[in-house]
Amino acid sequence: MAAPMPLGDPAPQDGLLPRQSSLDAESRTFHAYVHIPFCDVICGYCDFNTYTSGDLAGASKSEYAKSVISEIAQSEQVLKQSGLAPRRLSTVFFGGGTPTQIPAEDLVSILASLRNTFDFVPGIEITSEANPDSVDRQYLAKLAEGGFNRISIGMQSAIPEVLATLERTHNPANLPEVIAAAKAVGLKTSVDLIYGAPGESIEQWQSSVMAAIALEPDHISAYALIVEEGTKLARQIRSGELDEVDEDLQADKYELADKLLSTAGYQWYEISNWSKSAPASMPTNKSSHNFAYWLSQDWWGYGPGAHSHMGGVRWWNVKHPTAYASRISQGISPALARETLNARTRLEERVLLEIRISDGLPIELIQELSPAAVGLIDHFVADGLVENNQPGKVVLTLTGRLLADSLVRQLTNT
Ligand SMILES: C[S@@+](CC[C@H](N)C(=O)[O-])C[C@H]1O[C@@H](n2cnc3c(N)ncnc32)[C@H](O)[C@@H]1O
Ligand code: SF4
């Protein structure tokens, strides 16, 4: 069962945004996230807003693209009427759920609608997530022809027992073929791994990282397994059917991943993300879309449960695909609720996000937090948690990365 939506103030039916959303908009880039809320089965650990055919309660998968295209038309009007000047999109990301659960033609028609409505900056990054079982070369070729240039594949592990614990249904033997097909049609490739599944040994994790490296993708994400409340995995751990996640072992796995990945030519650029460096004349292999989130840019999230952000105004859509389709068909904004962040919250969010990237957090943000926070940075350097050779910036060391959340708590609470 997916997590409940946050509270917030009710959003108006016309979706119009408060004035704060348009302040300094020209200093921020504009991005689109398209949520595709469908999966064949729900993996035991996952609390994303996604539904199997049995959970759709009348919502139609085949009509879904039409609803999103209507929301795109609505968003153009909302932005205009809220005083936001037209801006071109810098990245588009289709996530889920599993975007590749709907026909490639539907993803391409949503993308075409975004292009016709907002236009794209030259060299735009356009990504779709995919489950390795839900794509083949023909599907990937249609995405590439339709304008997609990057695919992010949920590999999670190379070990059948670990995949079984996670209740993943894909066959890990399919990965090489899917990655080769993606490369053959000209897509940049990324794979997602998860470490820390109950019972996963460090040797099994090493094999998974090595298997990911052997695929030679442009980019690898490695996420620490989070046991989300309300998931089957959480129930299995509570009942003793599965072991608790061992946090020390998880930290060892992070260090091992960083060592293996950097030795293989993948540089960390955000705590959970590594990429191969691209030649200067080529587009970066880092996820430009994720930088939009980490650097608090503006994005519109389309689809049920999708979150959007414009200049410190954050809103989120109704969660169920049926409620979403119903609002869209009545011409009502699907936005359920929203919040306008104050200056202090925006500052703390910037610290939380920017400290995670290898480019580092500008020291001015720490100065804005408090004089005591500046003093703490000296302690962090002395303790080997922050690099001491990065003037004007706070860049975490490997040990610092493992403790990032605690460091942020200390900085924001002093
Ligand atoms: C929407 S899924 C990717 C696409 C596709 N649905 C799939 O799973 O192959 C996004 C990614 O989030 C990560 N993820 C989901 N739930 C997680 C959890 N509880 N802990 C850590 N990572 C998680 C997984 O690595 C997954 O690949
Ligand atoms: S396939 Fe992906 S989105 Fe779907 S349940 Fe599994 S992890 Fe979540």
Side-chain angles (χ1 to χ4, degrees):
M1 192 56 213
M5 301 301 281
L7 297 172
D9 303 322
Q13 287 211 337
D14 58 14
L16 290 191
L17 301 171
R19 204 176 106 69
Q20 182 175 313
S21 61
S22 59
L23 298 179
D24 291 330
E26 61 290 346
S27 68
R28 300 184 299 273
T29 49
F30 179 45
H31 306 260
Y33 170 77
V34 182
H35 189 67
I36 311 289
F38 309 119
C39 286
D40 251 348
V41 288
I42 304 299
C43 309
Y45 58 89
C46 182
D47 83 337
F48 284 46
N49 188 36
T50 188
Y51 303 82
T52 61
S53 305
D55 298 330
L56 280 176
S60 160
K61 241 170 154 175
S62 55
E63 296 292 303
Y64 185 69
K66 237 188 251 170
S67 296
V68 173
I69 290 169
S70 299
E71 192 190 352
I72 293 169
Q74 253 189 29
S75 67
E76 185 188 23
Q77 290 309 311
V78 167
L79 290 169
K80 200 184 283 173
Q81 288 166 19
S82 302
L84 280 130
R87 277 177 299 170
R88 291 186 296 174
L89 285 165
S90 290
T91 63
V92 179
F93 192 98
F94 287 66
T98 304
T100 46
Q101 280 273 311
I102 63 174
E105 289 79 0
D106 287 3
L107 299 183
V108 167
S109 65
I110 294 170
L111 184 63
S113 165
L114 286 169
R115 186 188 291 112
N116 295 336
T117 307
F118 296 112
D119 203 0
F120 293 164
V121 300
I124 181 173
E125 174 192 280
I126 301 169
T127 305
S128 179
E129 288 184 336
N131 187 310
D133 274 357
S134 62
V135 283
D136 56 18
R137 181 166 173 153
Q138 206 189 356
Y139 190 104
L140 293 166
K142 285 182 191 166
L143 292 188
E145 279 158 27
F148 286 78
N149 49 31
R150 188 169 180 275
I151 192 97
S152 169
I153 298 191
M155 173 178 178
Q156 323 306 355
S157 169
I159 309 294
E161 295 92 300
V162 175
L163 290 169
T165 305
L166 294 172
E167 300 201 323
R168 293 287 299 186
T169 52
H170 75 259
N171 180 356
N174 291 346
L175 258 299
E177 207 179 311
V178 170
I179 294 284
K183 289 180 187 173
V185 302
L187 297 171
K188 278 189 183 281
T189 52
S190 177
V191 296
D192 286 353
L193 293 171
I194 290 184
Y195 58 96
E200 181 194 52
S201 67
I202 192 116
E203 292 77 18
Q204 287 175 324
W205 171 240
Q206 172 156 353
S207 300
S208 290
V209 178
M210 294 309 289
I213 290 170
L215 297 169
E216 299 186 1
D218 302 299
H219 183 281
I220 297 179
S221 302
Y223 300 113
L225 176 69
I226 300 170
V227 180
E228 304 281 5
E229 253 331 293
T231 57
K232 183 169 173 196
L233 177 70
R235 287 193 293 281
Q236 288 171 310
I237 292 176
R238 207 173 310 117
S239 72
E241 185 188 334
L242 290 176
D243 290 341
E244 302 248 353
V245 174
D246 177 337
E247 286 183 12
D248 290 338
L249 185 56
Q250 221 171 12
D252 291 345
K253 287 176 182 170
Y254 181 83
E255 288 188 3
L256 177 62
D258 188 66
K259 191 166 129 210
L260 296 171
L261 290 167
S262 52
T263 306
Y266 292 86
Q267 246 111 47
W268 85 280
Y269 70 94
E270 192 273 347
I271 288 186
S272 306
N273 291 283
W274 291 258
S275 70
K276 278 195 177 160
S277 46
S281 57
M282 298 291 284
T284 176
N285 285 324
K286 299 173 186 174
S287 164
S288 302
H289 185 79
N290 282 341
F291 271 105
Y293 301 146
W294 300 327
L295 299 177
S296 310
Q297 303 299 313
D298 286 353
W299 66 91
W300 194 292
Y302 296 93
H307 286 236
S308 304
H309 171 265
M310 298 272 158
V313 179
R314 211 159 37 197
W315 69 97
W316 46 95
N317 284 350
V318 288
K319 200 171 156 191
H320 198 281
T322 312
Y324 173 77
S326 154
R327 289 221 188 182
I328 293 284
S329 67
Q330 295 171 69
I332 299 172
S333 160
L336 173 70
R338 70 186 185 200
E339 57 191 6
T340 301
L341 306 179
N342 63 30
R344 176 73 193 183
T345 310
R346 289 179 81 179
L347 173 64
E348 290 186 0
E349 288 202 353
R350 282 195 64 185
V351 171
L352 177 83
L353 294 166
E354 292 179 38
I355 206 169
R356 297 174 60 91
I357 57 182
S358 65
D359 291 340
L361 170 72
I363 195 77
E364 300 86 70
L365 295 187
I366 302 289
Q367 285 157 349
E368 261 185 70
L369 273 181
S370 68
V374 179
L376 265 182
I377 294 294
D378 294 335
H379 288 292
F380 293 163
V381 171
D383 292 344
L385 304 171
V386 165
E387 303 279 4
N388 68 0
N389 56 355
Q390 300 276 348
K393 285 186 164 187
V394 179
V395 178
L396 297 179
T397 60
L398 179 56
T399 317
R401 281 187 256 158
L402 288 165
L403 298 171
D405 290 345
S406 152
L407 302 193
V408 169
R409 266 194 304 279
Q410 293 177 57
L411 288 168
T412 53
N413 290 333
T414 52

